[in-house]
Amino acid sequence: GYSASPAMAAGAETSGGADANSEKRSSIIAVPGPLAPFSTTRTYRNIVLSNGLKVVLVSDKMAPRSSVALSIDGAGQFAEPDDIPGLAHLMEHIVLSSTRGRGRSSVLERKARRLWKSNSNNNNNYDGGIIDESGDGEEAFEDWLIENDGDSNAFTAPGFVCFHFNGPHEMLPEGLERFSTLLTLDEIETTVAQKPYVVPREIGRVADELDRTSDASRAFYFLKHNVNPEHPMSRFSAGSKETLQTIPAEEGIDVGSALLNFFREHYLAERATLVVVGRENLSTLDRWISPFSNVMAQKVSNTGSAERSFPDSMIGRLGASDSMTQSIILRSNDDYQFDENCQTLCIEWPLSLVYGTPDLGTRQASTQNTITATAVGFLLTQIISRRGPGSLCFFLEKFGWAQKGGSKGVPRITFPVDVSGFQVLRMEIGLTLDGFANRSAVVSAVFEGIRKVIEKPLQLDLIKQYLAAGLLHGYLFAP
């Protein structure tokens, strides 16, 4: 199967072509893209709405459910003000807390339906959707989704925020209309300014999501702790009652005003990408996304071509940027992935790749292919994860430092942070206890393998194989 973030999906090929009526409408412009995924019967259409919002329509007759995702670049954790850590996360919650919608039912009716569903599932602690505490009879988007067998969620990453929902095919047109109303400036202003219970409630929900105990969370916060305090990566961007309520109140900061400013400055249509997957034809999906021409802030970004610069991330609590430090994090026995016979060696490098920002002033989607950190990481994985003689995996297995025949000894590359101008490349290798005791030699072997690749370029045939594999996974590289 093929999966991609909304930003990656925006490069999909238009195999369906815009119809004549669509081309005549001033609200959109059909734009051909450079690449369509392999092994798919889907058809695609790329368009740009009049407000600059990029849209990828996907018609899939075999899709079991319709799904929608919207990502907004530049509205993530790194964009929030220094004095209100967690504001971007709170903004995500505020957007989904809107109660505007069609077909409003009474609060008692919705509560009765939720009770019926919770009893049918033998779950008395059911907490589906958002309860409208105002008593005005408006229906929350998430409540409506639940009542129609749908589901939604969202997440705030360092560089962007993403909202997504799915449900039965018949709910897609109304779902798109309701979803679009959540993203209007008028609705956000109404939610923040006229419903005083919403912001404190969502701050509580943000605090409830904090993960203080998992090994992955502990490792991530340990990484943040060791970053330069002047770098946005070092902030506590998850947010808590202390950072979003207590401290702002003590310092006289109006969090509601900060939310409105954040929405106006960073929830920009021209930086957003909407992806819609449904079984209907492209022309029908095209009509259904028309409400999105009026969503989000309509201001034109002045920072489209000016990349944000970051301070040196590694000049921080552990010393200079050219030093390599070692830390050991004790894993919890409660971790379901815990294996006493296997230890994970993790090596992390800060990167500073700058991604080109397309000029959307012409209302045309860019066909420029940006080489991202994840694409580079995919190729590095292909190169360094070989198993044959002379490979790192072969070396580790030979000395009994990695389990033979398994996948844990194969280097795995991920990017816990991937923002234009700053990335963290993480390489993880599963080692035996003997391998972990000799981890210094393993680290030396990793750097030796990297050095050989740099000093002795790969054969052209091998490079073609790696590029072909990348293409199959949705990555497009230079010819």
Side-chain angles (χ1 to χ4, degrees), residues 16 60 80 98 160 173 198 207 225 240 265 311 314 326 334 343:
D60 185 356
E80 64 192 16
S98 169
F160 66 95
V198 172
H225 173 75
S240 65
E265 294 295 324
M314 293 296 108
Q326 175 182 260
D334 295 333
Q343 301 295 326

Side-chain angles (χ1 to χ4, degrees), residues 41-350:
T41 57
R42 294 174 167 183
T43 55
Y44 297 81
R45 177 178 296 172
N46 290 5
I47 58 180
V48 179
L49 301 183
S50 57
N51 58 357
L53 176 66
K54 297 177 288 295
V55 183
V56 180
L57 302 178
V58 183
S59 177
D60 185 356
K61 304 297 183 183
M62 305 298 292
R65 292 164 69 87
S66 294
S67 56
V68 177
L70 176 77
S71 71
I72 308 171
D73 189 37
Q77 298 167 355
F78 284 6
E80 64 192 16
D82 296 339
D83 54 354
I84 316 180
L87 187 71
H89 187 192
L90 178 61
M91 185 76 256
E92 168 212 315
H93 277 247
I94 294 298
V95 169
L96 287 178
S97 69
S98 169
T99 56
R100 178 177 295 186
R102 301 188 317 170
R104 298 170 184 168
S105 57
S106 71
V107 177
L108 290 178
E109 287 176 352
R110 296 200 307 278
K111 287 184 176 179
R113 281 194 290 268
R114 280 196 290 271
L115 282 174
W116 179 84
K117 288 185 178 181
S118 63
N119 289 333
S120 66
N121 293 326
N122 294 321
N123 180 10
N124 294 325
N125 295 320
Y126 178 79
D127 185 28
I130 294 175
I131 298 175
D132 178 9
E133 300 176 27
S134 65
D136 57 12
E138 291 186 338
E139 185 171 26
F141 174 69
E142 292 186 325
D143 282 343
W144 176 84
L145 273 178
I146 292 171
E147 293 167 5
N148 288 274
D149 193 27
D151 184 38
S152 69
N153 211 331
F155 63 90
T156 304
F160 66 95
V161 63
C162 181
F163 304 90
H164 54 93
F165 72 92
N166 65 83
H169 295 294
E170 57 271 16
M171 57 76 71
L172 181 58
E174 185 174 351
L176 285 168
E177 182 179 352
R178 287 174 175 268
F179 183 51
S180 68
T181 64
L182 304 182
L183 297 157
T184 61
L185 180 57
D186 289 344
E187 182 61 24
I188 297 300
E189 290 177 342
T190 299
T191 301
V192 173
Q194 300 182 18
K195 299 177 180 179
Y197 59 88
V198 172
V199 173
R201 180 191 66 193
E202 296 308 317
I203 289 176
R205 290 178 175 175
V206 166
D208 289 341
E209 292 180 0
L210 288 179
D211 179 4
R212 299 182 176 90
T213 59
S214 71
D215 288 336
S217 178
R218 291 167 58 229
F220 185 68
Y221 282 111
F222 183 76
L223 170 63
K224 292 170 73 70
H225 173 75
N226 294 325
V227 169
N228 181 357
E230 300 298 321
H231 197 283
M233 175 65 185
S234 67
R235 293 199 296 256
F236 178 64
S237 297
S240 65
K241 287 186 177 180
E242 182 180 8
T243 65
L244 294 170
Q245 194 170 54
T246 305
I247 294 178
E250 294 174 350
E251 298 182 355
I253 298 174
D254 187 343
V255 175
S257 297
L259 285 167
L260 294 177
N261 290 334
F262 189 86
F263 187 88
R264 295 188 186 104
E265 294 295 324
H266 301 289
Y267 274 61
L268 305 180
E270 67 173 24
R271 289 190 168 191
T273 302
L274 174 70
V275 180
V276 180
V277 180
R279 66 182 179 186
E280 291 76 10
N281 59 50
L282 293 173
S283 297
T284 300
L285 297 176
D286 191 328
R287 292 194 303 270
W288 290 350
I289 53 93
S290 58
F292 287 88
S293 295
N294 300 310
V295 301
M296 289 180 280
Q298 302 298 309
K299 65 173 288 187
V300 177
S301 171
N302 294 322
T303 58
S305 58
E307 290 294 333
R308 178 178 181 181
S309 60
F310 296 101
D312 192 325
S313 60
M314 293 296 108
I315 300 180
R317 298 179 176 91
L318 292 183
S321 59
D322 58 350
S323 62
M324 185 174 182
T325 61
Q326 175 182 260
S327 303
I328 297 178
I329 300 178
L330 300 180
R331 301 184 65 179
S332 169
N333 290 331
D334 295 333
D335 185 354
Y336 71 96
Q337 294 182 328
F338 180 79
D339 183 353
E340 61 181 9
N341 296 317
C342 181
Q343 301 295 326
T344 301
L345 174 68
C346 176
I347 307 175
E348 294 171 328
W349 292 268

Side-chain angles (χ1 to χ4, degrees), residues 394-431:
F394 184 87
F395 171 81
L396 296 178
E397 292 180 353
K398 178 181 178 181
F399 284 90
W401 294 348
Q403 296 178 353
K404 291 186 178 181
S407 60
K408 292 184 177 181
V410 178
R412 176 174 176 264
I413 293 178
T414 58
F415 289 88
V417 180
D418 184 5
V419 179
S420 179
F422 177 69
Q423 304 84 23
V424 175
L425 186 155
R426 173 184 294 165
M427 178 187 294
E428 295 177 299
I429 307 174
L431 303 176

Side-chain angles (χ1 to χ4, degrees), residues 339-459:
D339 183 353
E340 61 181 9
N341 296 317
C342 181
Q343 301 295 326
T344 301
L345 174 68
C346 176
I347 307 175
E348 294 171 328
W349 292 268
L351 306 178
S352 56
L353 299 179
V354 176
Y355 307 148
T357 302
D359 181 10
L360 297 178
T362 60
R363 320 313 308 147
Q364 299 286 331
S366 172
T367 57
Q368 175 185 357
N369 301 320
T370 300
I371 303 300
T372 63
T374 52
V376 174
F378 179 87
L379 283 185
L380 289 176
T381 300
Q382 301 298 308
I383 296 171
I384 205 168
S385 298
R386 296 183 299 110
R387 287 180 173 271
S391 66
L392 175 63
C393 188
F394 184 87
F395 171 81
L396 296 178
E397 292 180 353
K398 178 181 178 181
F399 284 90
W401 294 348
Q403 296 178 353
K404 291 186 178 181
S407 60
K408 292 184 177 181
V410 178
R412 176 174 176 264
I413 293 178
T414 58
F415 289 88
V417 180
D418 184 5
V419 179
S420 179
F422 177 69
Q423 304 84 23
V424 175
L425 186 155
R426 173 184 294 165
M427 178 187 294
E428 295 177 299
I429 307 174
L431 303 176
T432 61
L433 296 180
D434 190 30
F436 192 74
N438 291 276
R439 55 188 175 276
S440 296
V442 175
V443 172
S444 297
V446 170
F447 279 92
E448 177 65 15
I450 295 174
R451 184 188 65 81
K452 287 185 177 180
V453 172
I454 295 175
E455 293 182 353
K456 185 178 180 181
L458 300 174
Q459 297 180 356

